[in-house]
């Protein structure tokens, strides 16, 4: 992507700013994301949404805007400018009510950058884990009175274990011999865990765990902090849709308690940090405990294991499918990601049992 193109897309949106330059932000595996610096005080995040993965981008953007507006309504007596620095704010396209700009097959959206903010790829101290727990708890609390049926299912069956197993089983049938051989070490584990990994789904389907608005992609890099590592807000709300809290709790644990990044190839560096688990859980429960049922609380540890597992399964499936879903930068990238997550599950067992 070049500066001229980015400037063009940036200028399709309703803002008073003058484009100065851009930096590509490479942490996501799906969309293309750019920090746009301007000549003024307000900077932006410009994003090209991956329409091959998100089939209904208009619905997705509508979800994000509705949820942001709802979160803003929780603050009283704050001006729009203040709120833009506390909650994600999406900019409309010029002379339009839409919050996305479409050209050809591509969809773009623009957010106001929250100044003096930082994200983390891994967690270095338990204070951050605690804050991240509070941040997610706060997001879930503040969206708990939002009617989740206003939201579309951005990716149907996103965290549905049966769906992910069936994708994996199809991939096994169609994979090349080389990739099959490389994945073979994990096929027994995937089969052995099948029943346990469906427990949460069955409880959800039986109505024992309630459905509510969930974020659905709560890896630590999607929590925004200020320079003192106090939580500001959850970002990357592309997958906001109805779900169960276990998805969000578990997915966050997956990255917060991993002593390495999910792309780390040296598996010796990948271990489950129990201290961070406790700190995260403490922060999360400080915000949510009063509103969680006994059964929701009981299954938090299983949520962690289930969400680490579902990502391992999805990375492995994508590897078997020749890398059609996640962005990769080398041949066995998805296999390495899957190995990393399987190693994390192993370490989780050792530490939790
Ligand atoms: O990569 C992406 O953000 C995925 N999002 C998320 O589900 C998870 O797999 C993550 C792993 O880092 C989508 O698939 C939309």
């Amino acid at each position: 992507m070049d500066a001229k193109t980015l400037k063009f897309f940036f200028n399709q949106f309703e803002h008073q700013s003058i484009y100065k330059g851009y930096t590509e932000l490479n942490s996501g595996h799906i969309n293309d994301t750019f920090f746009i610096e301007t000549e003024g005080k307000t900077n932006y995040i410009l994003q090209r949404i991956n329409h091959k993965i998100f089939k209904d981008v208009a619905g997705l953007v509508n979800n994000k805007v509705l949820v942001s507006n709802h979160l803003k309504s929780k603050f009283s007596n704050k001006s729009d400018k203040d709120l833009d620095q506390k909650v994600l704010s999406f900019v409309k396209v010029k002379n339009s009510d839409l919050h996305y700009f479409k050209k050809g097959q591509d969809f773009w959206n623009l957010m106001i950058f929250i100044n003096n903010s930082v994200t983390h790829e891994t967690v270095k101290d338990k204070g951050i884990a605690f804050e991240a727990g509070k941040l997610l708890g706060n997001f879930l609390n503040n969206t708990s009175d939002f009617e989740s049926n206003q939201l579309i299912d951005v990716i149907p069956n996103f965290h549905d274990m049966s769906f992910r197993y069936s994708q994996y089983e199809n991939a096994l049938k169609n994979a090349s011999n080389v990739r099959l051989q490389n994945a073979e070490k994990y096929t027994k584990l995937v089969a052995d865990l099948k029943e346990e990994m469906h427990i949460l789904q069955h409880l959800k389907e039986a109505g024992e765990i309630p459905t509510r608005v969930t974020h659905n992609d709560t890896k630590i890099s999607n929590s925004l902090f200020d320079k003192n590592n106090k939580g500001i807000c959850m970002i990357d709300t592309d997958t906001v849709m109805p779900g169960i809290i276990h998805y969000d709790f578990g997915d966050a644990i997956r990255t917060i308690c991993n002593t390495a990044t999910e792309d780390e190839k040296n598996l010796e560096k990948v271990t489950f940090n129990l201290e961070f688990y406790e700190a995260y859980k403490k922060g999360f429960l400080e915000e949510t405990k009063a509103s969680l049922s006994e059964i929701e609380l009981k299954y938090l540890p299983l949520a962690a294991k289930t969400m680490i597992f579902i990502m391992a399964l999805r990375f492995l499936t994508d590897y078997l499918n020749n890398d059609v879903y996640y962005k990769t930068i080398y041949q066995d990238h998805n296999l390495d990601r899957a190995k990393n997550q399987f190693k994390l599950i192993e370490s989780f067992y050792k530490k939790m049992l």
Side-chain angles (χ1 to χ4, degrees):
M1 201 68 58
D2 57 79
K4 196 168 153 226
T5 311
L6 290 174
K7 185 175 171 187
F8 167 81
F9 285 111
F10 175 59
N11 285 335
Q12 301 314 309
F13 290 86
E14 187 66 62
H15 55 73
Q16 312 303 322
S17 303
I18 298 169
Y19 174 94
K20 186 170 174 192
Y22 80 93
T23 312
E24 182 160 8
L25 306 174
N26 285 318
S27 97
H29 300 336
I30 311 283
N31 296 322
D32 299 318
T33 309
F34 305 90
F35 170 73
I36 302 291
E37 192 187 356
T38 72
E39 300 286 353
K41 286 200 178 117
T42 309
N43 296 312
Y44 298 84
I45 299 289
L46 179 65
Q47 201 162 42
R48 179 167 65 173
I49 300 175
N50 187 332
H51 65 272
K52 294 198 179 112
I53 285 177
F54 297 114
K55 305 290 182 218
D56 180 358
V57 179
L60 173 156
V61 173
N62 192 48
N63 276 7
K64 300 204 283 192
V65 172
L66 286 177
V67 168
S68 272
N69 289 344
H70 185 79
L71 291 173
K72 286 182 181 178
S73 74
K74 301 284 164 178
F75 293 87
S76 51
N77 301 325
K78 288 251 184 293
S79 70
D80 282 355
K81 250 195 153 27
D82 287 340
L83 288 174
D84 287 348
Q85 295 297 305
K86 297 200 173 299
V87 179
L88 288 183
S89 297
F90 299 91
V91 183
K92 280 186 187 166
V93 168
K94 279 180 187 157
N95 305 317
S96 161
D97 273 337
L98 297 179
H99 290 83
Y100 63 87
F101 179 75
K102 181 167 190 265
K103 184 159 193 283
Q105 295 284 305
D106 286 338
F107 292 82
W108 293 80
N109 79 151
L110 187 73
M111 281 159 276
I112 296 178
F113 178 72
I114 298 183
N115 293 321
N116 300 313
S117 60
V118 290
T119 54
H120 300 286
E121 293 297 316
T122 54
V123 169
K124 296 278 178 268
D125 71 73
K126 67 177 181 185
I128 299 180
F130 174 78
E131 277 298 316
K134 279 182 77 85
L135 195 58
L136 177 63
N138 196 266
F139 175 86
L140 293 172
N141 278 345
N142 283 338
T143 51
S144 64
D145 59 342
F146 183 87
E147 288 295 334
S148 64
N149 60 12
Q150 291 181 67
L151 303 176
I152 62 150
D153 253 344
V154 184
I155 299 183
N157 303 317
F158 191 52
H159 290 317
D160 184 292
M161 197 57 84
S162 312
F163 174 66
R164 295 302 180 187
Y165 262 92
S166 73
Q167 287 187 317
Y168 161 77
E169 281 151 13
N170 278 334
L172 279 179
K173 284 185 205 140
N174 299 319
S176 70
N177 283 340
V178 176
R179 290 202 172 211
L180 207 51
Q181 265 166 26
N182 289 340
E184 205 173 2
K185 182 171 168 210
Y186 299 99
T187 51
K188 184 170 181 316
L189 180 65
V190 171
D192 289 350
L193 286 176
K194 192 165 182 177
E195 211 180 305
E196 189 188 7
M197 292 298 97
H198 278 80
I199 292 175
L200 288 175
Q201 183 181 328
H202 292 151
L203 290 167
K204 175 176 180 273
E205 284 164 359
E208 295 199 38
I209 299 181
T211 301
R212 45 156 89 220
V213 176
T214 44
H215 180 286
N216 295 303
D217 195 357
T218 54
K219 57 186 172 187
I220 185 63
S221 55
N222 284 337
S223 292
L224 196 68
F225 297 90
D226 68 15
K227 291 266 155 79
N228 298 316
N229 282 320
K230 292 279 170 236
I232 303 176
C233 64
M234 299 297 298
I235 56 170
D236 191 354
T237 46
D238 289 356
T239 48
V240 163
M241 58 186 152
I244 57 176
I245 55 131
H246 301 85
Y247 297 158
D248 282 358
F249 180 82
D251 194 16
I253 292 294
R254 184 178 76 78
T255 47
I256 287 169
C257 300
N258 192 342
T259 49
T261 67
E262 70 181 5
D263 278 4
E264 178 58 59
K265 289 191 262 185
N266 179 352
L267 298 185
E268 277 176 21
K269 291 190 181 163
V270 176
T271 55
F272 189 84
N273 186 320
L274 199 55
E275 196 190 10
F276 291 179
Y277 176 81
E278 293 304 337
Y280 180 81
K281 195 167 94 178
K282 186 160 183 267
F284 181 78
L285 290 179
E286 255 182 34
E287 296 292 325
T288 57
K289 192 157 186 194
S291 60
L292 295 184
S293 66
E294 217 170 281
I295 197 159
E296 284 180 306
L297 288 170
K298 176 177 166 197
Y299 284 100
L300 291 181
L302 182 63
K305 185 172 170 191
T306 306
M307 294 312 289
I308 305 171
F309 176 80
I310 205 168
M311 293 311 160
L313 188 63
R314 288 177 57 196
F315 287 137
L316 192 64
T317 302
D318 200 32
Y319 175 71
L320 291 166
N321 283 337
N322 290 330
D323 313 316
V324 289
Y325 188 89
Y326 293 107
K327 284 186 195 172
T328 52
I329 49 176
Y330 62 90
Q331 207 180 355
D332 287 347
H333 201 161
N334 272 320
L335 179 66
D336 287 338
R337 287 173 176 148
K339 286 181 179 172
N340 175 309
Q341 300 294 294
F342 283 124
K343 170 70 200 300
L344 190 62
I345 293 181
E346 191 189 312
S347 173
F348 172 84
Y349 268 128
K350 284 191 190 141
K351 301 266 170 88
M352 293 289 278
L353 300 178

